[in-house]
Amino acid sequence: MKKITAMLIFILISGYLFGQNLFLTGLEILQRIDENEFYRTIEYTGTMTIHINDEVRTKKMTTQAKTDGHKALVEFNNPEDFGTKYLMMDDELWIYFPGEEEVVKISGHMLKEGMMGSDFSYEDALEASKIAEKYNVQIARQDTLNGHVCWVLKLDAKIKDVPYYSREMWVDQELYVPWKEEMFAKSGRLLKEMNVLEIKQFGNRYFPVKSEMVNKLRKNSKTVFELEDIAFDVDLPDDMFSLRYLKH
Amino acid sequence: MATLNKIAWRNVRRNKRRTFLSALVIAVGLAIYILMNSVMTGMNRANIDNLIDLSTASIKISTEKYHEEKEALPLKYGITNADMLISFIKDQSDVIGVTPRTQFLGQLSNWEDIMPVMGQVINVDTDMTVFGFDKYIIGEFLSNEQDNEIVLGKDLAEEMGVEAGDYITLYALTKFDSRNADEFYITGLLGTTDPNINLNTALISYQTANDFLDLENLVTEVDVAVERRVNFDRFTNDVNDLATTLQQSYPELHIETFEEMAQAFLGITEQKQVFGSIIMLIILAIAAVGIFNSVLMSVYERIREIGVLRAQGFERKEIVKLFLWEGLIIGFFGSIMGVTLGCGVNLYLVIVGFPLDKFAGFQSSGIPYWGVLYGEWNIGAIVFAFCFGLVVALAASYLPSRMASRMEVTKALRFV
């Protein structure tokens, strides 16, 4: 009896010493990730560098987005696409082409396709819904990735309407941000791999500011997405996310 | 009048060589016209048949919402009770086939590169009753025994560096917009007369798609084949009648005939017909000049004869009538020869056809100009050709004979 009591005390003390997170469930970890990554509004300038074989293309953009209604406005600044604007509202996407002064509506499923030919889909780049709402999660194992001690979370879709049927995330045990994520098809095949290259602190929030997406369906294809001048929870007027503003 | 007929008939028989040559000119001109008309009509019909056979079917049925967004090929507006609809259609007269289909957008990957693909989910047992893909298959068609089988367009397979018997990865969004990708066994390739199909299409079965696309037997369109008629107008009437019946029975569905679906294509065909008519008018004009020239020469050769007839007391209008009779007889024989020659060669074209494979370069135009081109019978064109031969021969006889009959008798007698 004394031995058992001693062992319990040892476990409790060890748990305290090794951090308060030892007994977190997968869901709690996901919720902590959501707390870091979920925002009400965001504003940033971004650079997307698309590598396909030996070809490299760079896209520069300014983005304003709000999670209420899944709204995002993106304006491209690189010379080839200068003035091209995207307006995403829920499942609908409009593109404004300044040369033709024309707005084209892109249908819902196109949101799953590569944004401007990149390996990030519009959904990957612009959506900010809470992962915990869509996936069941379990802690598969612990792993060390580039010196960071991580939980490896296994996510399986709760509902059929999810971008990826299952995911694996390498979540930093201190920062609660995934350093690596693998996205799988319904068949179980690996479709994409995302590696976070840099994380920055914004107040209490840790946020990935440089990521690399590798498309596993195509050889030698990856896109690096870098965010700068990030501002969270700024006031963005509703009329900013309108067709009238898009043509403005 | 009877005397003039006899003289005309005797003149025609006496100058057999001249008569034959004049009639031959008429015959060749008319035969070319009949064949050109047959080939052009056959080409237009072949294009329309190909379109119906490979793309549109005779009638396509979908929901109104699906039709509004059909460019995006959404997997969310299926036809409810598709089996009942199919049973109803099968009971209608003139229907020879009906099949469900579901189209989707996907990508093919060989793990090196990806290419967009237009996916078609088909019912393996009934698809061939409406669409003719099985006629163009290289290798095997899909079976209902194995999952994850795929048929690819021949040019698409070539671009991806695969062939029948290889494996390829298909990527697509499920009915719930979730991503899926899996490996498929290529049973066969489609080498159709439509280059777009050869470059874009992938076929999978409902058996496979129910799992791969979470399809739950979703049917976004029902395609109907109506019995082909040799007479195109009768065929379109049959199709329109059936479409009207279906629309009355299923007012909530969108029912489209091939004519409505292929308006742009049929517009081009109509323009081609106008262009073809111009070409045929030119052929007829050349034939008319030949006939005119031939009859004219024969009249000029006989101006002295006209002088003799006038000296014997024939009146001017009788001379004109004599030559008109001769022209009519030559025109009649020429037209008979022309129609016989044209119909004879056309019979071969209608039954055996003309192999266009030798002109493979045409296929890049997007319109099927390869395979075998068959001729079409056009009774109106044959009757027109016959009458045209008579009229041109008459006109060609009238003008010079009128001129010759007005000449002084002495001048006509001395005419060399």
mmCIF file of all heavy atoms in Angstrom, chain B residues 80-107:
data_model
loop_
_atom_site.group_PDB
_atom_site.id
_atom_site.type_symbol
_atom_site.label_atom_id
_atom_site.label_comp_id
_atom_site.label_asym_id
_atom_site.label_seq_id
_atom_site.Cartn_x
_atom_site.Cartn_y
_atom_site.Cartn_z
ATOM 1 N N THR B 80 -33.833 12.835 -57.924
ATOM 2 C CA THR B 80 -34.413 11.870 -56.971
ATOM 3 C C THR B 80 -35.274 10.878 -57.749
ATOM 4 O O THR B 80 -35.856 11.222 -58.771
ATOM 5 C CB THR B 80 -35.275 12.588 -55.905
ATOM 6 O OG1 THR B 80 -36.133 13.483 -56.585
ATOM 7 C CG2 THR B 80 -34.424 13.357 -54.920
ATOM 8 N N ASN B 81 -35.325 9.666 -57.288
ATOM 9 C CA ASN B 81 -36.088 8.602 -57.960
ATOM 10 C C ASN B 81 -35.662 8.420 -59.412
ATOM 11 O O ASN B 81 -36.508 8.329 -60.315
ATOM 12 C CB ASN B 81 -37.593 8.875 -57.899
ATOM 13 C CG ASN B 81 -38.104 8.789 -56.483
ATOM 14 O OD1 ASN B 81 -37.590 8.002 -55.682
ATOM 15 N ND2 ASN B 81 -39.075 9.601 -56.152
ATOM 16 N N ALA B 82 -34.359 8.401 -59.640
ATOM 17 C CA ALA B 82 -33.849 8.238 -61.010
ATOM 18 C C ALA B 82 -34.303 6.902 -61.607
ATOM 19 O O ALA B 82 -34.579 6.829 -62.811
ATOM 20 C CB ALA B 82 -32.323 8.329 -61.006
ATOM 21 N N ASP B 83 -34.411 5.875 -60.774
ATOM 22 C CA ASP B 83 -34.831 4.553 -61.283
ATOM 23 C C ASP B 83 -36.255 4.599 -61.845
ATOM 24 O O ASP B 83 -36.534 4.020 -62.892
ATOM 25 C CB ASP B 83 -34.756 3.496 -60.169
ATOM 26 C CG ASP B 83 -33.311 3.185 -59.810
ATOM 27 O OD1 ASP B 83 -32.425 3.490 -60.645
ATOM 28 O OD2 ASP B 83 -33.069 2.669 -58.707
ATOM 29 N N MET B 84 -37.120 5.332 -61.141
ATOM 30 C CA MET B 84 -38.511 5.441 -61.624
ATOM 31 C C MET B 84 -38.552 6.206 -62.946
ATOM 32 O O MET B 84 -39.276 5.834 -63.871
ATOM 33 C CB MET B 84 -39.363 6.167 -60.580
ATOM 34 C CG MET B 84 -39.963 5.234 -59.545
ATOM 35 S SD MET B 84 -40.920 6.146 -58.340
ATOM 36 C CE MET B 84 -42.210 6.840 -59.339
ATOM 37 N N LEU B 85 -37.747 7.275 -63.006
ATOM 38 C CA LEU B 85 -37.694 8.080 -64.230
ATOM 39 C C LEU B 85 -37.211 7.212 -65.397
ATOM 40 O O LEU B 85 -37.780 7.237 -66.497
ATOM 41 C CB LEU B 85 -36.755 9.280 -64.018
ATOM 42 C CG LEU B 85 -36.428 10.116 -65.249
ATOM 43 C CD1 LEU B 85 -37.672 10.860 -65.743
ATOM 44 C CD2 LEU B 85 -35.316 11.129 -64.956
ATOM 45 N N ILE B 86 -36.176 6.429 -65.143
ATOM 46 C CA ILE B 86 -35.613 5.572 -66.191
ATOM 47 C C ILE B 86 -36.648 4.540 -66.663
ATOM 48 O O ILE B 86 -36.816 4.314 -67.862
ATOM 49 C CB ILE B 86 -34.309 4.906 -65.682
ATOM 50 C CG1 ILE B 86 -33.203 5.968 -65.594
ATOM 51 C CG2 ILE B 86 -33.879 3.752 -66.583
ATOM 52 C CD1 ILE B 86 -31.947 5.522 -64.890
ATOM 53 N N SER B 87 -37.383 3.962 -65.720
ATOM 54 C CA SER B 87 -38.430 2.994 -66.088
ATOM 55 C C SER B 87 -39.493 3.657 -66.956
ATOM 56 O O SER B 87 -39.952 3.092 -67.948
ATOM 57 C CB SER B 87 -39.116 2.430 -64.845
ATOM 58 O OG SER B 87 -38.200 1.779 -64.064
ATOM 59 N N PHE B 88 -39.877 4.875 -66.569
ATOM 60 C CA PHE B 88 -40.895 5.607 -67.332
ATOM 61 C C PHE B 88 -40.405 5.857 -68.763
ATOM 62 O O PHE B 88 -41.146 5.656 -69.731
ATOM 63 C CB PHE B 88 -41.199 6.936 -66.627
ATOM 64 C CG PHE B 88 -42.188 7.798 -67.354
ATOM 65 C CD1 PHE B 88 -43.554 7.548 -67.245
ATOM 66 C CD2 PHE B 88 -41.759 8.842 -68.155
ATOM 67 C CE1 PHE B 88 -44.472 8.340 -67.936
ATOM 68 C CE2 PHE B 88 -42.672 9.644 -68.839
ATOM 69 C CZ PHE B 88 -44.033 9.388 -68.728
ATOM 70 N N ILE B 89 -39.138 6.266 -68.874
ATOM 71 C CA ILE B 89 -38.598 6.582 -70.215
ATOM 72 C C ILE B 89 -38.534 5.316 -71.076
ATOM 73 O O ILE B 89 -38.861 5.353 -72.269
ATOM 74 C CB ILE B 89 -37.205 7.233 -70.086
ATOM 75 C CG1 ILE B 89 -37.318 8.588 -69.398
ATOM 76 C CG2 ILE B 89 -36.554 7.406 -71.451
ATOM 77 C CD1 ILE B 89 -36.003 9.191 -68.964
ATOM 78 N N LYS B 90 -38.156 4.213 -70.463
ATOM 79 C CA LYS B 90 -38.035 2.950 -71.219
ATOM 80 C C LYS B 90 -39.360 2.560 -71.870
ATOM 81 O O LYS B 90 -39.370 1.923 -72.915
ATOM 82 C CB LYS B 90 -37.597 1.830 -70.266
ATOM 83 C CG LYS B 90 -36.099 1.715 -70.105
ATOM 84 C CD LYS B 90 -35.780 0.530 -69.205
ATOM 85 C CE LYS B 90 -34.302 0.488 -68.858
ATOM 86 N NZ LYS B 90 -34.051 -0.405 -67.743
ATOM 87 N N ASP B 91 -40.471 2.936 -71.238
ATOM 88 C CA ASP B 91 -41.790 2.557 -71.754
ATOM 89 C C ASP B 91 -42.258 3.435 -72.914
ATOM 90 O O ASP B 91 -43.289 3.156 -73.521
ATOM 91 C CB ASP B 91 -42.834 2.633 -70.625
ATOM 92 C CG ASP B 91 -42.588 1.545 -69.586
ATOM 93 O OD1 ASP B 91 -41.923 0.556 -69.930
ATOM 94 O OD2 ASP B 91 -43.042 1.703 -68.434
ATOM 95 N N GLN B 92 -41.518 4.508 -73.195
ATOM 96 C CA GLN B 92 -41.940 5.416 -74.264
ATOM 97 C C GLN B 92 -41.540 4.853 -75.631
ATOM 98 O O GLN B 92 -40.529 4.157 -75.746
ATOM 99 C CB GLN B 92 -41.300 6.808 -74.077
ATOM 100 C CG GLN B 92 -41.565 7.446 -72.736
ATOM 101 C CD GLN B 92 -43.045 7.623 -72.443
ATOM 102 O OE1 GLN B 92 -43.785 8.165 -73.245
ATOM 103 N NE2 GLN B 92 -43.481 7.127 -71.288
ATOM 104 N N SER B 93 -42.334 5.185 -76.644
ATOM 105 C CA SER B 93 -42.025 4.684 -77.992
ATOM 106 C C SER B 93 -40.788 5.403 -78.539
ATOM 107 O O SER B 93 -40.476 6.533 -78.130
ATOM 108 C CB SER B 93 -43.208 4.903 -78.919
ATOM 109 O OG SER B 93 -43.521 6.263 -78.953
ATOM 110 N N ASP B 94 -40.095 4.741 -79.460
ATOM 111 C CA ASP B 94 -38.888 5.247 -80.139
ATOM 112 C C ASP B 94 -37.645 5.303 -79.248
ATOM 113 O O ASP B 94 -36.575 5.681 -79.711
ATOM 114 C CB ASP B 94 -39.104 6.655 -80.738
ATOM 115 C CG ASP B 94 -40.251 6.680 -81.722
ATOM 116 O OD1 ASP B 94 -40.431 5.680 -82.442
ATOM 117 O OD2 ASP B 94 -40.983 7.690 -81.735
ATOM 118 N N VAL B 95 -37.773 4.977 -77.955
ATOM 119 C CA VAL B 95 -36.596 4.995 -77.066
ATOM 120 C C VAL B 95 -35.837 3.675 -77.227
ATOM 121 O O VAL B 95 -36.404 2.607 -77.116
ATOM 122 C CB VAL B 95 -37.028 5.175 -75.584
ATOM 123 C CG1 VAL B 95 -35.846 4.961 -74.648
ATOM 124 C CG2 VAL B 95 -37.615 6.553 -75.384
ATOM 125 N N ILE B 96 -34.547 3.784 -77.540
ATOM 126 C CA ILE B 96 -33.755 2.554 -77.685
ATOM 127 C C ILE B 96 -32.746 2.388 -76.545
ATOM 128 O O ILE B 96 -32.119 1.345 -76.416
ATOM 129 C CB ILE B 96 -33.021 2.506 -79.048
ATOM 130 C CG1 ILE B 96 -32.166 3.763 -79.242
ATOM 131 C CG2 ILE B 96 -33.997 2.311 -80.183
ATOM 132 C CD1 ILE B 96 -31.201 3.640 -80.396
ATOM 133 N N GLY B 97 -32.584 3.415 -75.722
ATOM 134 C CA GLY B 97 -31.654 3.286 -74.604
ATOM 135 C C GLY B 97 -31.806 4.418 -73.614
ATOM 136 O O GLY B 97 -32.206 5.531 -73.982
ATOM 137 N N VAL B 98 -31.518 4.141 -72.346
ATOM 138 C CA VAL B 98 -31.543 5.190 -71.321
ATOM 139 C C VAL B 98 -30.534 4.799 -70.252
ATOM 140 O O VAL B 98 -30.411 3.623 -69.895
ATOM 141 C CB VAL B 98 -32.976 5.399 -70.757
ATOM 142 C CG1 VAL B 98 -33.576 4.114 -70.253
ATOM 143 C CG2 VAL B 98 -32.987 6.428 -69.655
ATOM 144 N N THR B 99 -29.779 5.773 -69.777
ATOM 145 C CA THR B 99 -28.718 5.472 -68.804
ATOM 146 C C THR B 99 -28.475 6.656 -67.873
ATOM 147 O O THR B 99 -28.614 7.806 -68.286
ATOM 148 C CB THR B 99 -27.412 5.093 -69.541
ATOM 149 O OG1 THR B 99 -26.506 4.519 -68.618
ATOM 150 C CG2 THR B 99 -26.753 6.282 -70.217
ATOM 151 N N PRO B 100 -28.122 6.379 -66.617
ATOM 152 C CA PRO B 100 -27.753 7.485 -65.710
ATOM 153 C C PRO B 100 -26.278 7.844 -65.870
ATOM 154 O O PRO B 100 -25.474 6.987 -66.278
ATOM 155 C CB PRO B 100 -28.004 6.883 -64.333
ATOM 156 C CG PRO B 100 -27.738 5.423 -64.514
ATOM 157 C CD PRO B 100 -28.097 5.080 -65.926
ATOM 158 N N ARG B 101 -25.950 9.064 -65.576
ATOM 159 C CA ARG B 101 -24.542 9.481 -65.568
ATOM 160 C C ARG B 101 -24.333 10.537 -64.482
ATOM 161 O O ARG B 101 -25.266 11.265 -64.133
ATOM 162 C CB ARG B 101 -24.129 10.083 -66.918
ATOM 163 C CG ARG B 101 -23.609 9.063 -67.891
ATOM 164 C CD ARG B 101 -22.897 9.725 -69.035
ATOM 165 N NE ARG B 101 -22.229 8.731 -69.858
ATOM 166 C CZ ARG B 101 -21.356 9.010 -70.798
ATOM 167 N NH1 ARG B 101 -21.040 10.249 -71.053
ATOM 168 N NH2 ARG B 101 -20.785 8.061 -71.507
ATOM 169 N N THR B 102 -23.110 10.624 -64.001
ATOM 170 C CA THR B 102 -22.743 11.681 -63.058
ATOM 171 C C THR B 102 -21.362 12.185 -63.463
ATOM 172 O O THR B 102 -20.420 11.403 -63.553
ATOM 173 C CB THR B 102 -22.699 11.136 -61.619
ATOM 174 O OG1 THR B 102 -23.987 10.585 -61.309
ATOM 175 C CG2 THR B 102 -22.356 12.213 -60.618
ATOM 176 N N GLN B 103 -21.285 13.465 -63.742
ATOM 177 C CA GLN B 103 -19.999 14.029 -64.171
ATOM 178 C C GLN B 103 -19.286 14.686 -62.989
ATOM 179 O O GLN B 103 -19.941 15.210 -62.089
ATOM 180 C CB GLN B 103 -20.219 15.052 -65.264
ATOM 181 C CG GLN B 103 -20.891 14.458 -66.499
ATOM 182 C CD GLN B 103 -20.838 15.410 -67.672
ATOM 183 O OE1 GLN B 103 -19.775 15.885 -68.040
ATOM 184 N NE2 GLN B 103 -21.977 15.700 -68.270
ATOM 185 N N PHE B 104 -17.983 14.660 -63.009
ATOM 186 C CA PHE B 104 -17.219 15.313 -61.931
ATOM 187 C C PHE B 104 -15.885 15.825 -62.488
ATOM 188 O O PHE B 104 -15.434 15.371 -63.539
ATOM 189 C CB PHE B 104 -16.966 14.337 -60.770
ATOM 190 C CG PHE B 104 -16.087 13.161 -61.129
ATOM 191 C CD1 PHE B 104 -14.724 13.176 -60.856
ATOM 192 C CD2 PHE B 104 -16.623 12.038 -61.738
ATOM 193 C CE1 PHE B 104 -13.913 12.097 -61.188
ATOM 194 C CE2 PHE B 104 -15.818 10.953 -62.073
ATOM 195 C CZ PHE B 104 -14.467 10.981 -61.801
ATOM 196 N N LEU B 105 -15.311 16.774 -61.781
ATOM 197 C CA LEU B 105 -14.002 17.287 -62.176
ATOM 198 C C LEU B 105 -12.930 16.623 -61.332
ATOM 199 O O LEU B 105 -13.122 16.409 -60.145
ATOM 200 C CB LEU B 105 -13.928 18.806 -61.981
ATOM 201 C CG LEU B 105 -14.831 19.623 -62.892
ATOM 202 C CD1 LEU B 105 -14.866 21.064 -62.435
ATOM 203 C CD2 LEU B 105 -14.350 19.552 -64.334
ATOM 204 N N GLY B 106 -11.838 16.270 -61.937
ATOM 205 C CA GLY B 106 -10.765 15.628 -61.179
ATOM 206 C C GLY B 106 -9.400 15.950 -61.756
ATOM 207 O O GLY B 106 -9.275 16.792 -62.659
ATOM 208 N N GLN B 107 -8.414 15.309 -61.228
ATOM 209 C CA GLN B 107 -7.048 15.454 -61.736
ATOM 210 C C GLN B 107 -6.408 14.073 -61.773
ATOM 211 O O GLN B 107 -6.669 13.241 -60.905
ATOM 212 C CB GLN B 107 -6.229 16.367 -60.817
ATOM 213 C CG GLN B 107 -6.650 17.827 -60.901
ATOM 214 C CD GLN B 107 -5.925 18.712 -59.903
ATOM 215 O OE1 GLN B 107 -5.169 18.240 -59.058
ATOM 216 N NE2 GLN B 107 -6.164 19.993 -60.001
#
